[in-house]
Amino acid sequence: MNIVAPHSPEALSSDLIARFAAIVGDRHALTDPIELEAYVTEERNLYHGRSPLVLRPGSTAEVAAICKLAHDTRVALVPQGGNTGLVGGQTPHNGEVVISLKRMDKIREIDLASNTMTVEAGVILQTAQERAANIDRLFPLSLGAQGSCTIGGNLATNAGGTAALAYGLARDMALGVEVVLADGRVLNLLSKLKKDNTGYDLRDLFIGAEGTLGIITAATLKLFPKPRAVETAFVGLQSPEAALQLLCIAQREAAGHLTSFELIAEIALDFSVRHAHNRDPLESRYPWYVLMELSSMREAARGALEAILERGFEDGIVDDAAIAASLQQQEAFWKLREEISPAQKPEGGSIKHDISVPVAAVPAFITEANAAVIELIPGARPVPFGHLGDGNIHYNVSQPVDADKAEFLARWHEVNSVVFAIVLRHGGSISAEHGIGVMKRDELPSVKDPTAMELMRSIKSLLDPHGIMNPGKVV
């Protein structure tokens, strides 16, 4: 494998900057340090990059021209959507040129007969959701950052979210993509077809590749029937084991209508109530909670939800529950869940993990990880929460009370090693929905099949021989 290193940022001359700027127009070529700041830092303030130039193309043709010039001149590129990534994949760590796709925000076509919507990469996720709703359809990808993350970024990281239990990940919601390759060629894989067996499925090479193989510029998304009834419950119970039993009841009784099943530790609820000013949905506190949602095309969701909870009470699994009586209350339940991560900030440093294990192994994983982390760092506060329905737990660890934040965060990889070892023992993955980026790049070879790593590097070398596409990320 012979990947040629791209030029260092110091080699980006004023003449070359001018050639890049000519592609998008001076107005959309940013060099002012103040303007660049929003593109070289990220929300959690974990990663601080640098870049001499941010380009904001308005079309696939402009992205192709940028890539061709970068390929010919060996200039490294970092594609960026809403800059909401959590593993540093969208940050220009070594002075790369940033390509912001935000201006590419057109919805090219909606086809009701095919139940598809073709959008450009810069379309905000919430915009796609709203456009689908306006035509009585559902685009089910749902994330905490949906008001600012983009479809291109969602696909580049194969985002998951709260509806993955019913609808899958971002990859499962895209029928086709349009991609600009490293040398500027445009690969048109846009398709409305559910059946197409014409050779290798190249689409999936680029979904989840984090911009290391090419830049996704558009996608054809699947639309679904819009539910007529959505019912939401907030449930108090004693343990993850009880939550798992409730999940089994819900899956049996809901007959395919269970769309979300979120597990929340008491400490996570406490943070969200205290720091995000949310209201506790139940009168008493419980060690664990479940946020459960059913969606149906008929007005039968309420009866199914009540039957699930009744069975849970009868079996001694459920201690208390509240069913949302209005849309406002549904939104309040979800706000409590969505504010968990931001609500950890006032508690100091937080070491975060986005892991998955087989659903049946979630209770054992949490028990073992809690014990191991507290033994490693006495006083550390595990804050597990997430998508029990698909085995994806956001296993965050808040620093001990009054500990030094910098000293705690300096042990990030030490904590990772302990947690990841438990994940692997249970046959899990160190990255469920956030990607690899730079955060987990060094750990990946130790947990991935060696042959798979070899093939990944070979594909990277073939599609990006000069190593200009988001270098230093994933592989």
Side-chain angles (χ1 to χ4, degrees):
M1 184 176 68
N2 296 307
I3 294 180
V4 180
H7 279 315
S8 65
E10 291 76 14
L12 200 63
S13 65
S14 57
D15 176 65
L16 195 48
I17 289 176
R19 291 174 66 187
F20 278 114
I23 296 170
V24 298
D26 290 340
R27 179 183 172 190
H28 300 297
L30 310 180
T31 56
D32 186 293
I34 295 176
E35 292 182 309
L36 294 175
E37 183 65 19
Y39 299 88
V40 300
T41 57
E42 44 83 46
E43 182 180 352
R44 294 196 303 185
N45 208 34
L46 283 178
Y47 300 106
H48 302 268
R50 57 194 175 93
S51 175
L53 177 65
V54 171
L55 299 171
R56 303 190 303 161
S59 68
T60 300
E62 289 183 356
V63 176
I66 292 169
C67 288
K68 186 178 187 311
L69 179 57
H71 180 267
D72 293 344
T73 56
R74 309 295 193 268
V75 171
L77 305 172
V78 173
Q80 192 177 98
N83 195 17
T84 61
L86 299 174
V87 292
Q90 78 279 18
T91 303
H93 298 276
N94 298 296
E96 300 92 341
V97 171
V98 174
I99 303 181
S100 170
L101 281 300
K102 278 188 170 183
R103 284 183 62 223
M104 295 185 60
D105 60 357
K106 298 180 182 63
I107 294 180
R108 295 183 182 177
E109 182 188 24
I110 295 175
D111 185 339
L112 291 179
S114 296
N115 277 317
T116 61
M117 177 166 58
T118 301
V119 306
E120 293 183 338
V123 169
I124 300 296
L125 173 55
Q126 186 171 322
T127 301
Q129 295 170 339
E130 291 170 351
R131 286 296 297 272
N134 290 342
I135 57 171
D136 201 33
R137 296 292 190 274
L138 171 72
F139 182 61
L141 187 63
S142 182
L143 315 172
Q146 61 194 30
S148 52
C149 64
T150 64
I151 294 297
N154 298 152
L155 291 172
T157 57
N158 191 28
T162 56
L165 169 62
Y167 298 99
L169 306 183
R171 173 178 281 114
D172 302 302
M173 301 180 201
L175 286 171
V177 292
E178 175 186 84
V179 181
V180 176
L181 302 179
D183 59 7
R185 288 179 294 167
V186 178
L187 179 62
N188 187 348
L189 300 174
L190 293 174
S191 172
K192 302 175 187 178
L193 302 177
K194 289 183 171 63
K195 294 181 176 181
D196 182 1
N197 283 331
T198 52
Y200 303 144
D201 187 354
L202 299 176
R203 174 200 62 173
D204 278 355
L205 274 179
F206 301 96
I207 297 177
E210 301 182 46
T212 60
L213 302 179
I215 300 174
I216 296 173
T217 50
T220 301
L221 307 175
K222 297 179 186 177
L223 301 181
F224 297 82
K226 186 178 179 181
R228 297 291 179 252
V230 178
E231 298 290 346
T232 311
F234 204 90
V235 183
L237 26 70
Q238 291 297 314
S239 66
E241 288 83 1
L244 183 59
Q245 289 178 278
L246 184 62
L247 173 63
C248 293
I249 294 172
Q251 290 174 322
R252 184 172 63 248
E253 297 291 335
H257 300 308
L258 182 65
T259 48
S260 296
F261 199 94
E262 300 288 299
L263 180 67
I264 302 170
E266 181 184 8
I267 188 173
L269 177 123
D270 180 58
F271 288 173
S272 187
V273 168
R274 285 195 293 116
H275 299 305
H277 308 294
N278 291 313
R279 181 179 178 182
D280 192 333
L282 304 178
E283 291 185 1
S284 300
R285 280 290 175 92
Y286 299 93
W288 292 88
Y289 299 87
V290 162
L291 176 57
M292 175 171 46
E293 192 161 271
L294 273 64
S295 303
S296 174
M297 292 302 297
R298 300 180 299 277
E299 302 298 324
R302 181 62 173 239
L305 183 57
E306 289 175 345
I308 292 166
L309 294 175
E310 182 178 352
R311 179 63 184 275
F313 279 115
E314 290 174 353
D315 291 354
I317 296 167
V318 172
D319 291 336
D320 195 6
I323 298 178
S326 64
L327 177 61
Q328 183 179 16
Q329 197 169 20
Q330 280 182 348
E331 292 173 346
F333 286 0
W334 279 107
K335 184 174 182 290
L336 191 153
R337 159 65 179 86
E338 291 163 357
E339 294 286 348
I340 290 173
S341 286
Q344 285 185 262
K345 289 183 180 179
E347 296 291 328
S350 177
I351 297 174
K352 301 178 185 294
H353 307 86
D354 162 48
I355 65 90
S356 63
V357 295
V359 174
V362 169
F365 162 76
I366 291 175
T367 298
E368 293 172 26
N370 285 358
V373 165
I374 293 171
E375 181 180 1
L376 179 69
I377 305 179
R381 295 171 293 166
V383 188
F385 65 96
H387 322 302
L388 176 60
D390 54 45
N392 174 199
I393 298 299
H394 300 298
Y395 188 80
N396 296 353
V397 182
S398 284
Q399 69 177 57
V401 175
D402 298 328
D404 182 270
K405 180 178 178 180
E407 289 181 4
F408 176 74
L409 292 178
R411 303 186 72 176
W412 190 295
H413 290 289
E414 191 180 353
V415 174
N416 283 172
S417 296
V418 168
V419 172
F420 290 164
I422 299 168
V423 169
L424 296 176
R425 279 207 306 272
H426 286 285
S429 169
I430 67 170
S431 179
E433 62 178 4
H434 292 166
I436 297 298
V438 295
M439 179 180 284
K440 303 175 186 179
R441 178 195 61 202
D442 294 339
E443 284 87 358
L444 187 61
S446 65
V447 301
K448 195 81 172 173
D449 176 77
T451 303
M453 285 301 304
E454 182 181 346
L455 286 174
M456 287 170 60
R457 292 180 178 127
S458 296
I459 292 168
K460 169 71 171 174
S461 178
L462 175 66
L463 294 178
D464 182 21
H466 300 317
I468 67 169
M469 302 302 288
N470 214 4
K473 316 293 173 57
V474 186
V475 295

